[in-house]
Amino acid sequence: KLPVCTTEQGIEIIKTNMKKLNNWKDLYDLIPAKFKETNKLKKTGIAGIFSASLELTKEGLITILQKKTFDKLLIKEKK
């Protein structure tokens, strides 16, 4: 069974790294190393962190930025 990065895990990862989010940071950089080992793991890592970032944006804790279609997703702590 493939391990997955859940939204709850993603939220914890983002909150743990909140001090690093005072400037724009690539969402991909927050994916834990164990979720970068294979393509299948990368997909679950990206999905978990992305869904977590949407939830934290909804809560008003972070801001998401994408400059153009298919460009990097950047996040930053909302102050």
Coordinates of all heavy atoms in Angstrom, one line a residue:
K1 N 0.8 -1.2 0.0 CA 0.0 0.0 0.0 C 0.9 1.2 0.0 O 1.8 1.4 0.8 CB -0.9 0.0 1.2 CG -1.9 1.0 1.2 CD -2.9 0.9 2.4 CE -3.9 2.0 2.4 NZ -4.9 1.9 3.4
L2 N 0.6 2.2 -0.9 CA 1.3 3.4 -1.0 C 1.0 4.4 0.1 O -0.1 4.6 0.4 CB 1.0 4.1 -2.3 CG 1.6 5.4 -2.7 CD1 3.1 5.1 -3.0 CD2 1.0 6.0 -3.9
P3 N 2.1 4.9 0.8 CA 1.8 5.9 1.9 C 1.3 7.2 1.2 O 1.7 7.5 0.1 CB 3.2 6.1 2.5 CG 4.2 5.6 1.5 CD 3.5 4.6 0.7
V4 N 0.5 7.9 1.9 CA -0.1 9.1 1.4 C 0.2 10.3 2.3 O 0.3 10.1 3.5 CB -1.6 9.0 1.1 CG1 -1.9 8.0 0.0 CG2 -2.4 8.7 2.3
C5 N 0.3 11.4 1.7 CA 0.5 12.7 2.5 C -0.9 13.3 2.6 O -1.5 13.7 1.6 CB 1.4 13.6 1.8 SG 1.7 15.2 2.7
T6 N -1.5 13.2 3.8 CA -2.9 13.7 4.0 C -2.9 15.2 4.1 O -1.9 15.8 4.4 CB -3.5 13.0 5.2 OG1 -2.8 13.5 6.4 CG2 -3.5 11.5 5.2
T7 N -4.1 15.7 4.0 CA -4.3 17.2 4.2 C -3.8 17.5 5.6 O -3.2 18.6 5.8 CB -5.8 17.6 4.0 OG1 -6.1 17.2 2.7 CG2 -6.0 19.0 4.2
E8 N -4.2 16.7 6.6 CA -3.8 17.0 8.0 C -2.3 17.0 8.2 O -1.7 17.8 8.9 CB -4.4 15.9 9.0 CG -5.9 16.0 9.1 CD -6.7 15.4 7.9 OE1 -6.1 14.6 7.1 OE2 -7.9 15.8 7.7
Q9 N -1.6 16.0 7.5 CA -0.1 16.0 7.6 C 0.4 17.3 6.9 O 1.4 17.9 7.4 CB 0.4 14.8 6.8 CG 0.3 13.5 7.6 CD 0.7 12.3 6.8 OE1 0.3 12.2 5.6 NE2 1.6 11.5 7.4
G10 N -0.2 17.7 5.8 CA 0.2 18.9 5.0 C 0.1 20.1 5.9 O 1.0 21.0 5.9
I11 N -1.0 20.2 6.6 CA -1.2 21.4 7.5 C -0.1 21.4 8.6 O 0.4 22.5 8.8 CB -2.6 21.3 8.2 CG1 -3.7 21.6 7.1 CG2 -2.8 22.2 9.3 CD1 -5.1 21.3 7.5
E12 N 0.2 20.3 9.2 CA 1.3 20.2 10.2 C 2.6 20.7 9.6 O 3.4 21.4 10.2 CB 1.3 18.9 10.8 CG 0.2 18.6 11.8 CD 0.1 19.6 12.9 OE1 1.2 19.9 13.5 OE2 -1.0 20.1 13.1
I13 N 2.9 20.2 8.4 CA 4.1 20.5 7.7 C 4.2 22.0 7.4 O 5.2 22.6 7.7 CB 4.3 19.7 6.4 CG1 4.5 18.2 6.7 CG2 5.4 20.3 5.5 CD1 4.3 17.3 5.5
I14 N 3.2 22.6 6.9 CA 3.1 24.0 6.6 C 3.3 24.8 7.9 O 4.1 25.8 8.0 CB 1.9 24.4 5.8 CG1 2.0 23.8 4.4 CG2 1.8 26.0 5.8 CD1 0.7 24.0 3.6
K15 N 2.5 24.5 9.0 CA 2.6 25.2 10.2 C 3.9 25.1 10.9 O 4.4 26.0 11.5 CB 1.5 24.7 11.2 CG 0.1 25.2 10.8 CD -0.9 24.7 11.8 CE -2.3 25.4 11.6 NZ -3.3 24.9 12.6
T16 N 4.6 23.9 10.8 CA 5.9 23.7 11.3 C 6.9 24.7 10.6 O 7.9 25.1 11.2 CB 6.4 22.3 11.1 OG1 5.4 21.4 11.8 CG2 7.8 22.0 11.7
N17 N 6.7 24.9 9.3 CA 7.6 25.7 8.5 C 7.2 27.2 8.4 O 7.7 27.9 7.6 CB 7.7 25.1 7.1 CG 8.5 23.9 7.1 OD1 9.7 23.9 7.3 ND2 7.9 22.7 6.9
M18 N 6.2 27.6 9.2 CA 5.6 29.0 9.1 C 6.7 30.0 9.2 O 6.6 31.1 8.6 CB 4.6 29.1 10.2 CG 3.5 30.2 9.9 SD 2.6 29.8 8.4 CE 1.1 29.3 9.1
K19 N 7.7 29.8 10.0 CA 8.8 30.8 10.2 C 9.6 31.1 8.9 O 10.1 32.1 8.7 CB 9.8 30.4 11.3 CG 9.2 30.5 12.7 CD 10.2 30.1 13.7 CE 9.5 30.2 15.1 NZ 10.4 29.7 16.2
K20 N 9.6 30.1 8.0 CA 10.3 30.2 6.7 C 9.4 30.8 5.7 O 9.8 31.1 4.6 CB 10.7 28.8 6.2 CG 11.7 28.1 7.1 CD 11.9 26.7 6.6 CE 12.8 25.9 7.5 NZ 13.0 24.5 7.0
L21 N 8.2 31.1 6.0 CA 7.2 31.7 5.0 C 7.0 33.2 5.2 O 5.9 33.7 4.8 CB 5.9 30.9 5.2 CG 5.9 29.4 5.0 CD1 4.5 28.8 5.2 CD2 6.4 29.1 3.6
N22 N 8.0 33.9 5.7 CA 7.8 35.3 5.7 C 8.1 36.0 4.3 O 7.7 37.1 4.1 CB 8.8 36.0 6.8 CG 10.2 35.5 6.6 OD1 10.5 34.7 5.8 ND2 11.0 36.0 7.5
N23 N 8.7 35.2 3.4 CA 8.8 35.6 2.0 C 8.2 34.5 1.2 O 8.0 33.4 1.7 CB 10.3 35.8 1.6 CG 10.9 37.0 2.3 OD1 10.3 38.0 2.3 ND2 12.1 36.8 2.8
W24 N 7.9 34.8 -0.1 CA 7.3 33.8 -0.9 C 8.2 32.5 -1.0 O 9.4 32.6 -1.2 CB 7.0 34.3 -2.3 CG 6.0 35.4 -2.3 CD1 6.1 36.7 -2.5 CD2 4.6 35.2 -2.1 NE1 4.9 37.4 -2.4 CE2 4.0 36.5 -2.2 CE3 3.8 34.1 -1.9 CZ2 2.6 36.7 -2.1 CZ3 2.4 34.3 -1.8 CH2 1.8 35.5 -1.8
K25 N 7.5 31.4 -0.9 CA 8.3 30.1 -1.0 C 7.5 29.1 -1.9 O 6.3 29.1 -1.9 CB 8.4 29.5 0.4 CG 9.1 28.2 0.5 CD 9.9 28.2 1.8 CE 10.8 26.9 1.9 NZ 12.1 27.2 1.5
D26 N 8.3 28.4 -2.7 CA 7.7 27.4 -3.6 C 7.0 26.3 -2.8 O 7.6 25.8 -1.9 CB 8.7 26.9 -4.5 CG 8.2 26.0 -5.6 OD1 7.1 25.5 -5.5 OD2 8.9 25.8 -6.6
L27 N 5.8 26.1 -3.1 CA 5.0 25.0 -2.4 C 5.7 23.7 -2.5 O 5.7 22.9 -1.5 CB 3.6 24.9 -3.1 CG 2.6 24.1 -2.4 CD1 2.1 24.8 -1.1 CD2 1.4 23.8 -3.3
Y28 N 6.4 23.4 -3.6 CA 7.1 22.1 -3.8 C 8.2 21.9 -2.8 O 8.5 20.8 -2.4 CB 7.6 22.1 -5.2 CG 8.3 20.7 -5.5 CD1 7.5 19.7 -5.9 CD2 9.6 20.6 -5.5 CE1 8.0 18.4 -6.3 CE2 10.2 19.4 -5.8 CZ 9.4 18.3 -6.2 OH 10.0 17.1 -6.5
D29 N 8.8 23.0 -2.3 CA 9.9 23.0 -1.4 C 9.5 22.5 0.0 O 10.3 22.0 0.8 CB 10.6 24.3 -1.2 CG 11.3 24.8 -2.5 OD1 11.6 24.0 -3.3 OD2 11.5 26.0 -2.6
L30 N 8.2 22.5 0.3 CA 7.7 22.0 1.6 C 7.4 20.5 1.6 O 7.1 20.0 2.7 CB 6.4 22.8 2.0 CG 6.7 24.3 2.2 CD1 5.4 25.0 2.5 CD2 7.6 24.6 3.3
I31 N 7.4 19.9 0.5 CA 7.1 18.5 0.5 C 8.3 17.7 1.1 O 9.4 17.9 0.8 CB 6.9 18.0 -1.0 CG1 5.7 18.7 -1.6 CG2 6.7 16.5 -1.1 CD1 5.6 18.5 -3.1
P32 N 7.9 16.8 2.1 CA 9.0 16.1 2.8 C 9.7 15.2 1.8 O 9.2 14.7 0.8 CB 8.2 15.2 3.8 CG 6.9 15.9 4.0 CD 6.6 16.6 2.7
A33 N 11.0 14.9 2.1 CA 11.9 14.2 1.2 C 11.3 12.8 0.9 O 11.4 12.3 -0.2 CB 13.3 14.0 1.9
K34 N 10.7 12.2 1.9 CA 10.1 10.8 1.7 C 9.1 10.8 0.6 O 8.8 9.8 0.0 CB 9.6 10.2 3.0 CG 8.4 10.7 3.5 CD 8.0 10.0 4.8 CE 6.6 10.5 5.3 NZ 6.2 9.8 6.5
F35 N 8.4 11.9 0.4 CA 7.4 12.0 -0.7 C 8.0 12.5 -2.0 O 7.2 12.9 -2.9 CB 6.2 12.9 -0.2 CG 5.4 12.2 0.8 CD1 5.4 12.7 2.1 CD2 4.6 11.2 0.5 CE1 4.7 12.0 3.1 CE2 3.8 10.5 1.5 CZ 3.8 11.0 2.8
K36 N 9.3 12.5 -2.1 CA 9.9 12.9 -3.4 C 10.7 11.8 -4.0 O 11.3 11.9 -5.0 CB 10.9 14.1 -3.1 CG 10.2 15.4 -2.8 CD 11.2 16.5 -2.6 CE 10.5 17.9 -2.3 NZ 11.5 18.9 -2.1
E37 N 10.6 10.6 -3.4 CA 11.5 9.5 -3.8 C 11.0 8.9 -5.2 O 11.8 8.5 -5.9 CB 11.5 8.4 -2.7 CG 12.2 8.9 -1.5 CD 12.1 7.9 -0.3 OE1 11.4 6.8 -0.5 OE2 12.7 8.2 0.7
T38 N 9.7 8.8 -5.4 CA 9.2 8.3 -6.7 C 8.1 9.2 -7.2 O 7.6 10.0 -6.5 CB 8.6 6.8 -6.5 OG1 7.4 6.9 -5.7 CG2 9.6 5.9 -5.8
N39 N 7.7 9.0 -8.4 CA 6.6 9.8 -9.0 C 5.3 9.7 -8.3 O 4.6 10.6 -8.1 CB 6.5 9.5 -10.5 CG 7.5 10.2 -11.4 OD1 8.1 11.2 -10.9 ND2 7.8 9.7 -12.5
K40 N 5.0 8.4 -7.9 CA 3.7 8.2 -7.2 C 3.7 8.9 -5.9 O 2.7 9.5 -5.5 CB 3.5 6.7 -7.0 CG 3.1 6.0 -8.3 CD 2.7 4.6 -8.1 CE 2.3 3.9 -9.4 NZ 2.0 2.5 -9.2
L41 N 4.9 8.8 -5.2 CA 5.0 9.5 -3.9 C 4.9 11.0 -4.1 O 4.4 11.7 -3.2 CB 6.2 9.1 -3.1 CG 6.2 7.7 -2.6 CD1 7.6 7.3 -2.0 CD2 5.2 7.5 -1.5
K42 N 5.6 11.5 -5.1 CA 5.5 13.0 -5.4 C 4.1 13.5 -5.6 O 3.7 14.5 -5.1 CB 6.3 13.3 -6.7 CG 7.8 13.4 -6.5 CD 8.5 13.7 -7.8 CE 9.9 13.4 -7.8 NZ 10.6 13.6 -9.1
K43 N 3.3 12.7 -6.3 CA 1.9 13.1 -6.5 C 1.1 13.2 -5.2 O 0.4 14.2 -5.0 CB 1.2 12.1 -7.4 CG 1.7 12.2 -8.9 CD 1.1 11.2 -9.8 CE 1.7 11.2 -11.2 NZ 1.1 10.2 -12.0
T44 N 1.3 12.3 -4.3 CA 0.6 12.3 -3.0 C 1.2 13.5 -2.1 O 0.4 14.1 -1.4 CB 0.6 11.0 -2.3 OG1 -0.2 11.1 -1.1 CG2 2.0 10.5 -1.9
G45 N 2.5 13.7 -2.2 CA 3.1 14.8 -1.5 C 2.5 16.1 -1.9 O 2.2 17.0 -1.1
I46 N 2.5 16.3 -3.2 CA 2.0 17.6 -3.8 C 0.5 17.7 -3.4 O 0.1 18.8 -3.0 CB 2.2 17.6 -5.3 CG1 3.7 17.7 -5.7 CG2 1.4 18.7 -6.0 CD1 4.0 17.4 -7.1
A47 N -0.3 16.7 -3.6 CA -1.7 16.8 -3.3 C -1.9 17.1 -1.8 O -2.8 18.0 -1.5 CB -2.4 15.4 -3.6
G48 N -1.2 16.5 -0.9 CA -1.4 16.8 0.5 C -1.0 18.2 0.9 O -1.8 18.9 1.6
I49 N 0.1 18.7 0.4 CA 0.6 20.0 0.7 C -0.4 21.1 0.0 O -0.7 22.1 0.6 CB 2.0 20.3 0.2 CG1 3.0 19.4 1.0 CG2 2.4 21.7 0.3 CD1 3.1 19.7 2.5
F50 N -0.8 20.8 -1.2 CA -1.7 21.7 -1.9 C -3.1 21.8 -1.2 O -3.5 22.9 -1.0 CB -1.9 21.3 -3.4 CG -2.8 22.2 -4.1 CD1 -2.5 23.5 -4.4 CD2 -4.1 21.7 -4.5 CE1 -3.3 24.3 -5.1 CE2 -4.9 22.5 -5.2 CZ -4.6 23.8 -5.5
S51 N -3.6 20.7 -0.9 CA -4.9 20.8 -0.2 C -4.8 21.4 1.2 O -5.7 22.2 1.6 CB -5.6 19.4 0.0 OG -4.8 18.5 0.7
A52 N -3.7 21.2 1.9 CA -3.4 21.9 3.1 C -3.3 23.4 2.9 O -3.8 24.2 3.7 CB -2.2 21.3 3.8
S53 N -2.6 23.8 1.9 CA -2.4 25.2 1.6 C -3.8 25.9 1.3 O -4.0 27.0 1.7 CB -1.4 25.5 0.5 OG -2.0 25.0 -0.7
L54 N -4.7 25.2 0.6 CA -6.0 25.7 0.4 C -6.8 25.9 1.7 O -7.4 27.0 1.9 CB -6.8 24.8 -0.6 CG -6.3 24.8 -2.0 CD1 -7.1 23.7 -2.8 CD2 -6.3 26.1 -2.7
E55 N -6.7 24.9 2.6 CA -7.4 25.0 3.9 C -6.8 26.2 4.7 O -7.5 26.9 5.3 CB -7.2 23.7 4.6 CG -8.0 23.6 5.9 CD -9.5 23.7 5.7 OE1 -10.0 23.2 4.7 OE2 -10.1 24.3 6.6
L56 N -5.5 26.3 4.8 CA -4.9 27.4 5.6 C -5.1 28.7 5.0 O -5.2 29.7 5.7 CB -3.4 27.1 5.7 CG -3.0 25.9 6.6 CD1 -1.5 25.6 6.6 CD2 -3.6 26.0 8.0
T57 N -5.3 28.8 3.6 CA -5.7 30.1 3.0 C -7.1 30.5 3.4 O -7.4 31.6 3.7 CB -5.5 30.0 1.5 OG1 -4.2 29.7 1.1 CG2 -6.0 31.3 0.8
K58 N -7.9 29.5 3.4 CA -9.3 29.7 3.8 C -9.4 30.2 5.3 O -10.2 31.0 5.6 CB -10.1 28.4 3.7 CG -11.6 28.5 3.9 CD -12.3 27.2 3.5 CE -12.8 26.5 4.7 NZ -13.5 25.2 4.5
E59 N -8.5 29.7 6.1 CA -8.5 30.1 7.5 C -7.8 31.4 7.7 O -7.8 32.0 8.8 CB -7.7 29.0 8.4 CG -8.5 27.7 8.5 CD -7.7 26.6 9.2 OE1 -6.7 27.0 9.9 OE2 -8.2 25.5 9.1
G60 N -7.2 32.0 6.6 CA -6.5 33.3 6.7 C -5.1 33.2 7.2 O -4.6 34.3 7.6
L61 N -4.5 32.1 7.3 CA -3.1 32.0 7.8 C -2.0 32.2 6.8 O -0.9 32.7 7.1 CB -2.9 30.6 8.5 CG -3.8 30.4 9.7 CD1 -3.6 29.0 10.2 CD2 -3.5 31.4 10.8
I62 N -2.3 31.8 5.5 CA -1.3 32.0 4.4 C -2.0 32.6 3.2 O -3.2 32.6 3.1 CB -0.6 30.6 4.1 CG1 -1.6 29.7 3.5 CG2 0.1 30.1 5.2 CD1 -1.0 28.4 2.9
T63 N -1.2 33.0 2.3 CA -1.6 33.5 1.0 C -0.9 32.6 -0.1 O 0.2 32.3 0.0 CB -1.2 35.0 0.8 OG1 -1.7 35.7 1.9 CG2 -1.7 35.5 -0.5
I64 N -1.7 32.4 -1.2 CA -1.2 31.6 -2.3 C -1.0 32.5 -3.5 O -1.9 33.4 -3.7 CB -2.1 30.4 -2.7 CG1 -2.3 29.5 -1.5 CG2 -1.5 29.7 -3.9 CD1 -3.3 28.4 -1.7
L65 N 0.0 32.4 -4.3 CA 0.3 33.2 -5.5 C 0.7 32.3 -6.6 O 1.6 31.4 -6.4 CB 1.4 34.2 -5.2 CG 1.9 35.0 -6.4 CD1 0.8 36.0 -6.9 CD2 3.1 35.8 -6.0
Q66 N 0.1 32.5 -7.8 CA 0.6 31.9 -9.0 C 0.6 33.0 -10.1 O -0.5 33.5 -10.4 CB -0.3 30.7 -9.4 CG 0.2 29.9 -10.6 CD -0.7 28.7 -10.9 OE1 -1.9 28.8 -10.8 NE2 -0.1 27.7 -11.4
K67 N 1.7 33.3 -10.6 CA 1.9 34.4 -11.5 C 1.2 34.2 -12.8 O 0.7 35.1 -13.4 CB 3.3 34.8 -11.7 CG 3.9 35.3 -10.4 CD 5.4 35.7 -10.5 CE 5.9 36.2 -9.2 NZ 7.3 36.6 -9.2
K68 N 1.2 33.0 -13.4 CA 0.6 32.7 -14.6 C 0.2 31.2 -14.6 O 0.6 30.4 -13.8 CB 1.5 33.0 -15.8 CG 2.8 32.3 -15.9 CD 3.7 32.7 -17.0 CE 5.0 31.9 -17.0 NZ 5.8 32.3 -18.1
T69 N -0.7 30.8 -15.5 CA -1.2 29.4 -15.6 C 0.0 28.5 -15.7 O 1.0 28.7 -16.4 CB -2.1 29.3 -16.9 OG1 -3.1 30.3 -16.8 CG2 -2.7 27.9 -16.9
F70 N -0.1 27.4 -14.9 CA 0.9 26.3 -14.9 C 2.3 26.8 -14.3 O 3.3 26.1 -14.4 CB 1.1 25.7 -16.2 CG -0.1 25.1 -16.8 CD1 -0.7 25.6 -17.9 CD2 -0.7 24.0 -16.2 CE1 -1.9 25.1 -18.4 CE2 -1.9 23.4 -16.7 CZ -2.5 24.0 -17.8
D71 N 2.3 28.0 -13.7 CA 3.6 28.4 -13.1 C 3.6 27.9 -11.7 O 2.7 27.2 -11.2 CB 3.5 30.0 -13.0 CG 4.9 30.6 -12.9 OD1 5.9 29.8 -13.0 OD2 5.0 31.8 -12.9
K72 N 4.8 28.1 -11.0 CA 4.9 27.6 -9.6 C 3.8 28.2 -8.7 O 3.4 29.3 -8.9 CB 6.3 28.1 -9.1 CG 7.5 27.5 -9.7 CD 8.7 28.1 -9.0 CE 9.9 27.9 -9.8 NZ 11.1 28.5 -9.2
L73 N 3.5 27.4 -7.7 CA 2.6 27.9 -6.7 C 3.5 28.4 -5.5 O 4.3 27.6 -5.0 CB 1.7 26.8 -6.2 CG 0.5 26.5 -7.1 CD1 -0.2 25.2 -6.6 CD2 -0.5 27.6 -7.2
L74 N 3.3 29.6 -5.1 CA 4.1 30.2 -4.0 C 3.1 30.4 -2.8 O 2.0 30.8 -3.0 CB 4.7 31.5 -4.5 CG 5.5 31.4 -5.8 CD1 5.9 32.8 -6.2 CD2 6.8 30.6 -5.5
I75 N 3.7 30.2 -1.6 CA 2.9 30.5 -0.5 C 3.7 31.4 0.5 O 4.9 31.5 0.4 CB 2.4 29.3 0.3 CG1 3.6 28.5 0.9 CG2 1.6 28.4 -0.6 CD1 3.1 27.3 1.8
K76 N 2.9 32.1 1.3 CA 3.6 33.1 2.2 C 2.6 33.2 3.4 O 1.4 33.2 3.3 CB 3.7 34.4 1.5 CG 4.3 35.5 2.3 CD 4.4 36.8 1.5 CE 4.8 38.0 2.3 NZ 4.9 39.2 1.4
E77 N 3.2 33.4 4.6 CA 2.4 33.7 5.8 C 1.7 35.0 5.6 O 2.2 36.0 5.2 CB 3.3 33.7 7.0 CG 2.6 33.9 8.3 CD 3.5 33.9 9.5 OE1 4.7 34.1 9.4 OE2 2.9 33.9 10.6
K78 N 0.4 35.0 6.0 CA -0.4 36.2 5.9 C -0.2 37.0 7.2 O -0.3 36.4 8.3 CB -1.9 35.8 5.7 CG -2.7 37.0 5.3 CD -4.1 36.6 4.9 CE -4.9 37.7 4.4 NZ -6.2 37.3 3.9
K79 N 0.1 38.2 7.1 CA 0.4 39.0 8.3 C -0.6 40.1 8.4 O -1.3 40.5 7.6 CB 1.8 39.6 8.2 CG 2.8 38.5 8.2 CD 4.1 39.0 8.5 CE 5.0 37.8 8.5 NZ 6.3 37.9 9.1

